[in-house]
Amino acid sequence: GAGVSQSPSNKVTEKGKDVELRCDPISGHTALYWYRQSLGQGLEFLIYFQGNSAPDKSGLPSDRFSAERTGGSVSTLTIQRTQQEDSAVYLCASSLLGQGLTDTQYFGPGTRLTVL
Amino acid sequence: GDSVTQMEGPVTLSEEAFLTINCTYTATGYPSLFWYVQYPGEGLQLLLKATKADDKGSNKGFEATYRKETTSFHLEKGSVQVSDSAVYFCALNPGNNRKLIWGLGTSLAVNP
C-alpha cells in the first residue's frame, strides 16, 4: 500500500516568509509525528498527534512553529516568519497505534526547507 | 532521561568486509529498539527491530541482538556490499512515551 507522503519535497523561501509543509500518513494510522533533521545533527522530535489532538508538543522550538491534523489524517506543519536556522529536512512519520512497544513508525521522504 | 549512543562515523569498509556499528542505550524501563537506514537521497526506512531482551532482529543480512545486560543493540553484517552505503540510525521506543529517542547516526561507505 501507499506509504507516508510529504509535500513539497523541496521548499526554498526567504527569511521572514511563512511556509506550510504537508504530510499524508499511511491510511489507518492513528499516530503522526513530525521530526526535524538538521545537517550533521540527529533527528529532533517536534510534535506528536494521536488522532487530531497533540498530546506532546514539547519539541516545537518556538511559537513560530505550529501544526494541526484534520480528519485523523493529513497534517500541516506551519512555520511563521522563517529564520535561517529553520533550514532543515522536516520528516513526518506515522504509526498504527501511537503506543506500546511494538508500534513502529514509518517515515515519509521529507521536505527539505531552505531559508535564504 | 532515556538516550541512545552510537559510534561515530564515518565508517569506510571494502566490499565483503564485516560490519559492526555499536549502539548502547539508557532507559528506565524496557524499551523496544530499532535500526533505521537512510540511503543517499532517500527517506528513513526501518531496517530491523527487537521488542524484548534477547530478541534478534534481522533483515537484508543485517542482525542486531537486544542485550539487556550490556544495554546494547549493535548492528552487524557479515559481508557488506556497495549498496549498503548509507547512514544508519539506532533508536529506542521507551513504551510509555510516544517519540523515538535517536542516536546521531553513523555514516557507512562501502568501496568496491
Side-chain angles (χ1 to χ4, degrees), chain A residues 84-98:
Chain A
Q84 288 181 333
E85 62 262 28
D86 300 334
S87 296
V89 177
Y90 288 82
L91 295 168
C92 176
S94 70
S95 68
L96 185 61
L97 299 174

Side-chain angles (χ1 to χ4, degrees), chain B residues 17-39:
Chain B
F18 184 85
L19 169 72
T20 300
I21 300 179
N22 290 338
C23 172
T24 57
Y25 67 90
T26 302
T28 53
Y30 301 92
S32 294
L33 301 170
F34 302 81
W35 278 100
Y36 281 83
V37 59
Q38 190 171 31
Y39 296 104

Side-chain angles (χ1 to χ4, degrees), chain B residues 35-48:
Chain B
W35 278 100
Y36 281 83
V37 59
Q38 190 171 31
Y39 296 104
E42 299 186 15
L44 278 165
Q45 301 175 26
L46 177 67
L47 181 60
L48 53 85

Side-chain angles (χ1 to χ4, degrees), chain A residues 1-15:
Chain A
V4 178
S5 61
Q6 294 185 244
S7 61
S9 55
N10 279 285
K11 177 71 177 178
V12 179
T13 190
E14 293 180 349
K15 179 181 172 181

Side-chain angles (χ1 to χ4, degrees), chain B residues 67-88:
Chain B
R67 301 284 189 201
K68 188 170 181 295
E69 63 276 15
T70 55
T71 61
S72 66
F73 193 55
H74 304 322
L75 182 69
E76 296 181 337
K77 187 174 185 182
S79 176
V80 294
Q81 305 300 311
V82 172
S83 57
D84 295 326
S85 299
V87 181
Y88 293 82

